[in-house]
Amino acid sequence: MKQPKIYFDKETYTSVLSQSILDAYWQNTAGKFTFRVDEISKKFELNLKEITTIVSNTNSHIDFGFCNACGRMNFICVENRTRAKQVFENFQYYFFCFACRKIANKFCENLDDSQTKNVWMRLSFKYQLWKELDKDEINFLKAIYYLRSWNRIYHEVIKSNSDYGFNILFKLDKMHLIYYNKNELTGQIEIIILENLQSLIRDKNI
């Protein structure tokens, strides 16, 4: 998925000033906002409350393109930067639109955590979410498959740059391409990859 973008309803405010404020407020690169709110306040000579009022009275949304499952427009409304940051930090959750996620969650209502995870892994396989990964992430996924044990995975692909390694690991888990499970009692870590996805890796089809 390409980095999602934030849009606001320009018909809400017709003045050039208000639209300029909103442009500055939502401007971001890879989910990191360009200007602090106090910088916007100083630039446009408005107090923070006035800036907040303009933002809260505008319909804004994050656009994820098309839902991987149904192909419909996929977006979520956001009221402010706090909510937008939450979405950006977990944007892998939004490969599917609200309606499709609702159907899947309904199906999983009476399943345990492991069964629920398996359903989402099957959906991720069905809709080929591995195609959303970059080259390094694909190689990381392959390394998990070939190394098998957590001890080897940690020492050979994570330890040298743990922040980066764990970020990719948790991203793959959020995308349901793997099942990362840590037993809180024993501390043992298990990583599960769907057999269908293992076959693709083994046959060098990804």
Side-chain angles (χ1 to χ4, degrees), residues 142-185:
K142 291 177 180 178
I144 291 174
Y145 167 72
Y146 286 113
L147 294 174
R148 305 282 179 172
S149 76
W150 170 250
N151 188 55
R152 292 190 64 193
I153 292 168
Y154 177 76
H155 284 92
E156 295 187 35
V157 298
I158 294 180
K159 187 176 181 180
S160 62
N161 189 345
S162 60
D163 287 343
Y164 177 72
F166 276 112
N167 281 338
I168 296 181
L169 184 71
F170 295 146
K171 177 178 180 178
L172 295 176
D173 181 70
K174 287 179 180 179
M175 291 175 67
H176 307 292
L177 291 169
I178 66 170
Y179 181 7
Y180 172 85
N181 183 43
K182 181 178 180 179
N183 188 307
E184 298 300 329
L185 294 177

Side-chain angles (χ1 to χ4, degrees), residues 85-109:
K85 286 178 181 178
Q86 292 173 343
V87 174
F88 278 128
E89 288 170 359
N90 297 280
F91 79 91
Q92 297 91 355
Y93 179 73
Y94 299 94
F95 284 106
F96 303 110
C97 69
F98 174 79
C100 288
R101 283 186 277 118
K102 185 176 180 180
I103 292 171
N105 287 330
K106 180 70 175 176
F107 179 82
C108 296
E109 275 184 350

Side-chain angles (χ1 to χ4, degrees), residues 62-205:
I62 299 180
D63 181 9
F64 298 97
F66 298 101
C67 172
N68 286 58
C70 69
R72 290 179 293 205
M73 292 299 296
N74 185 15
F75 64 91
I76 184 171
C77 296
V78 288
E79 306 81 22
N80 50 48
R81 284 184 174 184
T82 300
R83 176 58 180 145
K85 286 178 181 178
Q86 292 173 343
V87 174
F88 278 128
E89 288 170 359
N90 297 280
F91 79 91
Q92 297 91 355
Y93 179 73
Y94 299 94
F95 284 106
F96 303 110
C97 69
F98 174 79
C100 288
R101 283 186 277 118
K102 185 176 180 180
I103 292 171
N105 287 330
K106 180 70 175 176
F107 179 82
C108 296
E109 275 184 350
N110 298 316
L111 303 181
D112 61 27
D113 289 344
S114 178
Q115 291 170 323
T116 297
K117 190 71 175 184
N118 187 263
V119 168
W120 281 103
M121 289 176 74
R122 292 186 180 281
L123 287 172
S124 293
F125 178 82
K126 179 178 180 179
Y127 295 107
Q128 303 181 349
L129 291 197
W130 66 83
K131 291 185 177 180
E132 304 287 350
L133 302 175
D134 63 29
K135 184 177 180 180
D136 288 341
E137 292 163 345
I138 283 287
N139 288 335
F140 193 96
L141 176 62
K142 291 177 180 178
I144 291 174
Y145 167 72
Y146 286 113
L147 294 174
R148 305 282 179 172
S149 76
W150 170 250
N151 188 55
R152 292 190 64 193
I153 292 168
Y154 177 76
H155 284 92
E156 295 187 35
V157 298
I158 294 180
K159 187 176 181 180
S160 62
N161 189 345
S162 60
D163 287 343
Y164 177 72
F166 276 112
N167 281 338
I168 296 181
L169 184 71
F170 295 146
K171 177 178 180 178
L172 295 176
D173 181 70
K174 287 179 180 179
M175 291 175 67
H176 307 292
L177 291 169
I178 66 170
Y179 181 7
Y180 172 85
N181 183 43
K182 181 178 180 179
N183 188 307
E184 298 300 329
L185 294 177
T186 65
Q188 290 185 324
I189 294 174
E190 180 183 26
I191 298 179
I192 298 171
I193 302 177
L194 197 69
E195 178 58 40
N196 301 40
L197 186 55
Q198 290 186 45
S199 295
L200 286 183
I201 297 173
R202 186 167 54 246
D203 297 339
K204 302 185 186 305
N205 288 323

